[in-house]
Every structure is written in structure tokens, then in C-alpha cells.
Amino acid sequence: MMVDGLAAFNRRWGRMPAAVRRAVQEAMETGARETVEAMNGRTPIPEIIVAWTWGNAPAGSVTLAAADAPDSVGDLRITIYATAVIGSGSFPAIARWFEFGTSERHKKTGQYTGRITASPFFYPTWRSYQRRVKSRLSRAMGKAIRSL
């Protein structure tokens, strides 16, 4: 004896992973864009640039955070990274120096060159946006499932 509507159920069930993956991917992109925009607005010097990418950060940048989608969705991974563009090249350590600060620095001559006081721009922003991003992901998953 076969259950009524089993074929329709199986069709919907088969479409679910792709729909949920698309919805989560869009939600992750939106969250990353908003978070990066806020972080760039809080950087202590204009040379520090915060950006995001799918997968790993580009060579020569400092990865300050990475977020994976829930295991049920697959291998989606967004990385938010920072680098500092100075002249024609990039010097990613500067972003870390300003986020966490440095101790007193001395030249080899023994001359004191100062300290960089921590001016966190990355983690405080992420902490304030984290709940919003996670909620957006949950809503997107639920909406994708309900829409099938």
C-alpha cells in the first residue's frame, strides 16, 4: 500500500537542499556585506581595508574571522579579512596592530619608537552583528523550507 502524495513529497524533499543552500548563501553574503561596511567605517586609519570572500582570504591579508554555514547546508565558508594598503603594496600586520595594540617598540639603536594603542574595529563590530547574521541565516533556512 502506497501513501497518497508520496511522489510529490519526494519531489519537494529532493529540491530542499538546493533551495536551502541558495537561501543561506544569499543571507551569508548580505550579512558579510553589512558587517564589512560597518567595520570599514570603524577602522582607525584609512589605509586598513576590510573585505570578505568565499573560501580562504587572499595571500597577503590577515584573516580575523571566518564563518561556516551549518553542516546541514554544505561547505559554504565566508572569510572576512583585513589588510593595509600602503603605497603600492599591502602590509597586513598593520590591521592586527591596530586591532590588538602593540607593546613599546625599539629600534636596534635602542631608540624608543612608541606603541600603538589598541583601537579595536573588527571584533567589537562582529560581536554586535553576529546575532543579526545568525538570525538572518535561520530565517532564510526556514523560509526556504516553507516555500517548497
Side-chain angles (χ1 to χ4, degrees):
M1 183 165 121
M2 190 158 193
V3 176
D4 287 335
L6 183 61
F9 173 78
N10 284 334
R11 279 193 304 275
R12 284 183 67 191
W13 187 260
R15 290 190 314 254
M16 189 179 303
V20 171
R21 182 180 175 89
R22 277 192 308 273
V24 167
Q25 189 173 9
E26 290 172 9
M28 288 176 74
E29 286 179 359
T30 302
R33 275 194 302 271
E34 287 179 355
T35 305
V36 165
E37 183 179 318
M39 288 177 183
N40 279 321
R42 294 185 63 178
T43 56
I45 59 173
E47 289 84 3
I48 295 176
I49 297 170
V50 181
W52 68 274
T53 185
W54 287 104
N56 297 323
S61 62
V62 175
T63 300
L64 298 174
D68 293 322
D71 290 337
S72 59
V73 177
D75 59 347
L76 297 177
R77 177 184 178 88
I78 280 188
T79 303
I80 297 175
Y81 62 92
T83 191
V85 178
I86 298 176
S88 62
S90 68
F91 192 61
I94 291 175
R96 186 177 302 273
W97 293 348
F98 277 94
E99 178 72 17
F100 302 111
T102 63
S103 61
E104 295 179 3
R105 299 171 295 150
H106 296 276
K107 292 183 179 177
K108 288 186 178 184
T109 61
Q111 182 181 7
Y112 173 71
T113 59
R115 136 188 330 210
I116 297 175
T117 306
S119 302
F121 61 94
F122 191 91
Y123 286 109
T125 306
W126 171 243
R127 282 191 291 273
S128 67
Y129 277 76
Q130 187 174 12
R131 179 191 271 168
R132 178 186 304 186
V133 171
K134 286 183 178 182
S135 296
R136 180 178 286 127
L137 287 173
S138 296
R139 284 192 312 273
M141 287 173 60
K143 187 175 180 182
I145 290 169
R146 286 189 302 274
S147 71
L148 293 176

